[in-house]
């Protein structure tokens, strides 16, 4: 059976949660499901930073890069 799997930001908040999601996907494949797509939202608490960066990008791309880079560290 073909499926689409979607995981929200809190599901990907840290290494342990990412490992859990990877195991869920693996287990579903072993159970006979075929992911047509795996959709992942921004990692935990990143969405607001991405929205802010988008707003800043309306004024200057240099600020966008700085905002995203600072959050990823």
């Amino acid at each position: 059976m073909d499926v689409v799997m979607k995981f929200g930001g809190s599901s990907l908040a840290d290494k342990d949660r990412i490992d859990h999601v990877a195991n869920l996907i693996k287990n579903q494949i072993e159970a006979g499901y075929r992911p047509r797509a795996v959709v992942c939202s921004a990692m935990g608490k990143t969405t607001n930073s991405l929205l802010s960066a988008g707003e800043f990008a309306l004024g200057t791309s240099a600020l966008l890069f700085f905002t995203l880079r600072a959050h990823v560290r």
Side-chain angles (χ1 to χ4, degrees), residues 6-26:
K6 191 271 183 190
F7 299 94
S10 61
S11 298
L12 304 166
D14 58 36
K15 179 192 176 310
D16 291 336
R17 298 301 304 155
I18 293 170
D19 287 344
H20 178 72
V21 166
N23 284 322
L24 286 174
I25 296 167
K26 179 182 169 223

Side-chain angles (χ1 to χ4, degrees), residues 7-49:
F7 299 94
S10 61
S11 298
L12 304 166
D14 58 36
K15 179 192 176 310
D16 291 336
R17 298 301 304 155
I18 293 170
D19 287 344
H20 178 72
V21 166
N23 284 322
L24 286 174
I25 296 167
K26 179 182 169 223
N27 292 341
Q28 292 302 302
I29 292 169
E30 290 172 351
Y33 293 96
R34 293 178 303 216
R36 298 282 290 171
V38 176
V39 179
C40 299
S41 297
M43 292 177 66
K45 303 194 182 210
T46 305
T47 301
N48 289 344
S49 294

Side-chain angles (χ1 to χ4, degrees), residues 40-73:
C40 299
S41 297
M43 292 177 66
K45 303 194 182 210
T46 305
T47 301
N48 289 344
S49 294
L50 291 171
L51 290 172
S52 294
E55 290 173 12
F56 289 135
L58 294 174
T60 172
S61 59
L63 192 50
L64 170 65
F65 176 75
F66 176 76
T67 302
L68 291 175
R69 187 171 181 215
H71 188 76
V72 171
R73 289 183 185 191

